[in-house]
Amino acid sequence: MADSTPVRVRFAPSPTGKLHVGGARTAIYNWAFARANHGTFILRIDDTDPTRSTEENTQVILRAMRWLGLDWDEGPGVGGDYGPYKQTDRMQLYRDAAQRLWDEGKAYPCFCTPEKLAADKKAAEERHDPFQGYQRTCRNIPPEEAKARIAAGEPYTLRIKVPLDRGDVIVHDAVHGDVTFNAKELDDFIIFRSDGTPTYNFATVVDDAMMGITHVIRGDDHLSNTPRQVMVYEALGAPVPTFAHISMILGPDGKKLSKRHGATSVEEYRDAGYLSDAFVNYLALLGWSLDGETTIVPRDVLAREFSLDHVSKNPSTFDPKKLDAINQAYLMAMDDRTFSTQVLIPQLVSAGLETDGALAHDDAWYDLLSSILKPRTTVAPDVIGKARFLYEGDSVTFDEKSVKKNLEREGAHDALVAAREALAAIPADSWKAATIDAALEPLPEKVGSNKRKFYGSVRVAECGNQVSPPLGESLELLGRDCVLARLDRALPMAN
Ligand code: GLU
């Protein structure tokens, strides 16, 4: 393929289920490859398996693609010059292509029954025939005879006629290098079934050829289909695209990633609160790397720098901890305002702590809260549990264990009395984390307590448990009145 040919790539999911992690990575690579080469990214729905494809799954996949931010240049909802972009809408094109091959003597009808095929296969096995495929029984039926049998209503499939002298097929794969498939593995395979539907190997190639696809980037579970697909390109007289088969994604136990390992669909990760940017970044690194070490590769860098020669042919392992770390890094990189509007407030609203359109506080309040929650957030919903104590008015929910350890201890009462006195002395207009921290600072020594114990008591009185965010900011956010009220409420519980 000449380098000057504009790049056209496609992602062609079958809507037989949700978009999974592996499919999403394939989509990302195609998208990034198109963007990096100023090419065209096409989304095509491969729904030729009518028993397993559903419109609902198609919609789920489109939603997932949108959430991932993988905008397609041609495809459903966008259109394009090479449509339709759904295989069930392209049936006539497959019939026409098959008819042309038939007319040109490159395909032929086969009348073998399943029983006959099974018997032939068994016989080939028994005589250890190096050629185990279809025995070409119907390859030389005279056209007139074939026509008569079809007219008489005999069921038939359509097979491609692989030239007998074709020899080995060498697939030049951008990831795996040259992969040779022995000619003996190539038989005259079926391109149209007896029920009039095209097979995957045929429909895909008709589409890829008609859509001018220059690079086929897909999972390496399709590598074994590739020699057959090459036969179809050759029969159609179409240029063979560059193939790039990307390796499998494994679970931590070294087995192919599956439900057993936990969440596998894109939607599950969206719903768990991962950021689209972080998720795309993480998936991109499963088999590709920028320079072998950089782990934060923002979308625009990916779209500029992605190249197939940095794709590994070794399987990669899905590591949820690394995904978490990348998500955290993206959260940390947000400024407080962005974190407030994109992470914190939507979560508070969805938890029912805030009402959309009628927020309880001003921007500065959320931004201060964001500044203390950001370093403590792995995924967005983490903020709910950590912010809940701010939404309980004067009566915070106490964690029993924390109360036992921090309030029902010798000296806790003295600590709270001292804290109340110092905090009540701060004027309302100076109610800031720094002032609060400064007021509390000398108190442990004053009441003869160690710091950890002192702050533990105040923290539990105010926040209900001992694992809340930094105290000064927490108290600033609670507000002076609420802080004093909570102390009053906790005092009788303290020893
Ligand atoms: N519909 C096929 C799949 O989902 C696409 C394979 C291909 O990219 O050729 O596996």
Side-chain angles (χ1 to χ4, degrees):
M1 182 105 6
D3 281 345
S4 56
T5 311
V7 161
R8 290 177 58 82
V9 290
R10 86 306 194 270
F11 174 54
S14 299
T16 53
K18 298 182 154 110
L19 184 58
H20 283 192
V21 165
R25 184 194 53 169
T26 302
I28 291 167
Y29 285 8
N30 276 284
W31 172 87
F33 185 74
R35 296 291 168 262
N37 291 283
H38 309 289
T40 304
F41 175 51
I42 297 152
L43 178 62
R44 185 177 75 221
I45 302 299
D46 275 8
D47 59 349
T48 38
D49 181 348
T51 52
R52 293 167 61 223
S53 298
T54 68
E55 178 55 27
E56 191 189 331
N57 286 333
T58 300
Q59 292 311 321
V60 170
I61 291 170
L62 296 186
R63 240 189 350 256
M65 289 289 289
R66 287 191 195 103
W67 180 73
L68 291 167
L70 305 177
D71 52 317
W72 54 99
D73 308 306
E74 295 176 22
V78 175
D81 294 340
Y82 298 78
Y85 293 93
K86 206 170 136 180
Q87 288 195 321
T88 45
D89 294 337
R90 300 176 63 80
M91 286 301 173
Q92 192 56 43
L93 298 169
Y94 309 134
R95 280 193 283 270
D96 292 348
Q99 185 65 51
R100 179 160 76 80
L101 294 189
W102 191 348
D103 292 345
E104 292 173 358
K106 294 171 179 167
Y108 61 91
C110 166
F111 302 94
C112 293
T113 60
E115 295 74 25
K116 156 98 175 115
L117 294 173
D120 283 356
K121 193 167 182 331
K122 192 154 171 260
E125 270 165 28
E126 277 166 8
R127 64 172 186 272
H128 302 291
D129 194 328
F131 182 77
Q132 297 272 327
Y134 172 66
Q135 297 292 317
R136 308 190 181 100
T137 315
C138 299
R139 184 166 163 127
N140 295 314
I141 294 177
E144 286 313 312
E145 183 191 329
K147 224 184 244 170
R149 290 171 73 171
I150 291 168
E154 200 174 327
Y156 68 100
T157 59
L158 206 59
R159 289 184 182 270
I160 195 157
K161 195 184 268 181
V162 175
L164 294 177
D165 58 354
R166 174 57 183 77
D168 295 349
V169 177
I170 302 169
V171 174
H172 307 289
D173 192 277
V175 174
H176 292 264
D178 285 356
V179 186
T180 303
F181 293 88
N182 194 304
K184 300 227 165 1
E185 292 168 28
L186 274 186
D187 65 354
D188 290 353
F189 56 93
I190 294 174
I191 58 172
F192 253 85
R193 301 183 191 92
S194 57
D195 64 2
T197 59
T199 55
Y200 156 70
N201 281 323
F202 187 65
T204 288
V205 174
V206 170
D207 287 346
D208 288 344
M210 291 186 81
M211 294 180 177
I213 300 302
T214 56
H215 296 74
V216 171
I217 305 169
R218 61 184 173 195
D220 67 5
D221 48 330
H222 286 293
L223 184 55
S224 60
N225 287 319
T226 310
R228 290 183 159 190
Q229 296 186 6
V230 170
M231 290 304 95
V232 180
Y233 283 105
E234 290 182 358
L236 292 171
V240 178
T242 299
F243 290 98
H245 286 95
I246 50 185
S247 63
M248 264 198 298
I249 301 177
L250 307 177
D253 58 356
K255 303 220 169 78
K256 189 174 190 273
L257 188 70
S258 73
K259 271 259 162 274
R260 281 182 305 118
H261 297 107
T264 49
S265 76
V266 170
E267 293 203 316
E268 284 170 285
Y269 286 93
R270 180 200 63 194
D271 294 345
Y274 288 91
L275 298 169
S276 158
D277 285 348
F279 192 62
V280 167
N281 183 152
Y282 176 67
L283 289 188
L285 294 180
L286 282 177
W288 171 83
S289 80
L290 184 64
D291 52 16
E293 54 186 16
T294 308
T295 52
I296 301 302
V297 184
R299 196 184 285 278
D300 57 325
V301 177
L302 179 66
R304 204 170 55 234
E305 302 293 339
F306 182 84
S307 78
L308 291 173
D309 42 290
H310 281 220
V311 173
S312 163
K313 61 173 166 228
N314 301 322
S316 42
T317 303
F318 192 88
D319 178 359
K321 285 205 190 79
K322 193 163 169 201
L323 169 61
D324 282 353
I326 290 180
N327 202 62
Q328 231 162 357
Y330 273 79
L331 291 172
M332 278 308 283
M334 288 180 173
D335 59 34
D336 294 339
R337 190 83 286 261
T338 309
F339 189 91
S340 293
T341 55
Q342 291 184 15
V343 179
L344 177 64
I345 294 171
Q347 288 298 327
L348 295 175
V349 169
S350 81
L353 297 174
E354 290 273 3
T355 309
D356 206 9
L359 298 179
H361 304 276
D362 61 10
D363 289 355
W365 191 90
Y366 297 105
D367 295 353
L368 176 61
L369 179 55
S370 287
S371 75
I372 56 173
L373 291 188
K374 226 183 340 177
R376 294 166 175 78
T377 307
T378 302
V379 286
D382 292 352
V383 301
I384 299 170
K386 297 201 163 77
R388 194 177 291 280
F389 77 96
L390 295 167
Y391 288 87
E392 297 183 307
D394 296 344
S395 55
V396 68
T397 309
F398 287 108
D399 166 56
E400 234 174 88
K401 254 201 183 144
S402 302
V403 168
K404 271 216 166 68
K405 195 164 159 231
N406 297 278
L407 293 183
E408 296 169 7
R409 66 159 182 96
E410 200 72 37
H413 195 267
D414 290 349
L416 296 191
V417 170
R420 197 192 187 292
E421 195 183 75
L423 293 172
I426 300 176
D429 59 359
S430 305
W431 191 257
K432 290 275 171 235
T435 328
I436 295 165
D437 283 335
L440 296 177
E441 223 265 355
L443 301 185
E445 209 191 313
K446 200 167 148 196
V447 299
S449 161
N450 80 27
K451 269 192 182 167
R452 201 176 42 80
K453 284 188 172 168
F454 173 84
Y455 283 106
S457 298
V458 179
R459 187 183 291 282
V460 172
E462 294 297 341
C463 312
N465 66 64
Q466 49 198 4
V467 284
S468 54
L471 193 59
E473 284 82 355
S474 296
L475 300 195
E476 178 179 338
L477 290 164
L478 277 171
R480 187 173 177 277
D481 293 347
C482 180
V483 165
L484 299 179
R486 286 188 182 188
L487 279 172
D488 290 339
R489 197 165 155 267
L491 267 166
M493 299 163 68
N495 258 335

